[in-house]
Amino acid sequence: MLLRRIVAGLAAIVLVAEAAVLVLVHIVLGRTTANQSMSIAGSDPDVMSKATYALGAGMGAFLLLCAVLLAVAAVRDLAPGRAARVVLITAAVVHGVLGALAVGLAGWGVFAAVMLIFCLIVLSLTLYAVRETSGGGGGSEGRLGEVTPTGP
């Protein structure tokens, strides 16, 4: 289905852009912390700036992983596997929490941007939901060979 591929590809592109922006923001914050010798409750400014760099790199890597998983799903037109779904669901939950925090801290524009990314992730997950096929036996195979139980 073409819509699935478009949504997953668009979500991957948006996640790459978000990763780049977040890494850039964390680099600026880390340099600012180091240059001004900022400290919170007596914390070492060098540790704080390095922790900011590490957090930015970690967040960027996580978002790039999500983008790669969505790009693979879009290119192959197959539902993400179990581990990939867990990673993408985690990203969706994080974006939901960040969206709730963004309203009070950064305003409605940032909230709208975060919710757009949230919606793209959730929509790509639901469009690639494992479908049951009609067949005999106690279960049916989904799109990637996962066995799902059949109900009444």
Side-chain angles (χ1 to χ4, degrees), residues 30-51:
R31 285 189 181 163
T32 304
T33 304
N35 290 339
Q36 295 185 357
S37 295
M38 295 179 173
S39 145
I40 297 175
S43 299
D44 184 19
D46 291 332
V47 172
M48 289 181 60
S49 65
K50 289 177 184 173

Side-chain angles (χ1 to χ4, degrees), residues 62-73:
F62 176 72
L63 291 173
L64 287 177
L65 172 66
C66 293
V68 167
L69 293 174
L70 286 169
V72 168

Side-chain angles (χ1 to χ4, degrees), residues 61-110:
F62 176 72
L63 291 173
L64 287 177
L65 172 66
C66 293
V68 167
L69 293 174
L70 286 169
V72 168
V75 169
R76 293 183 181 172
D77 198 23
L78 291 174
R82 185 170 298 194
R85 285 179 96 57
V86 168
V87 170
L88 293 172
I89 289 169
T90 303
V93 169
V94 167
H95 279 86
V97 171
L98 286 177
L101 292 173
V103 173
L105 297 175
W108 289 102
V110 176

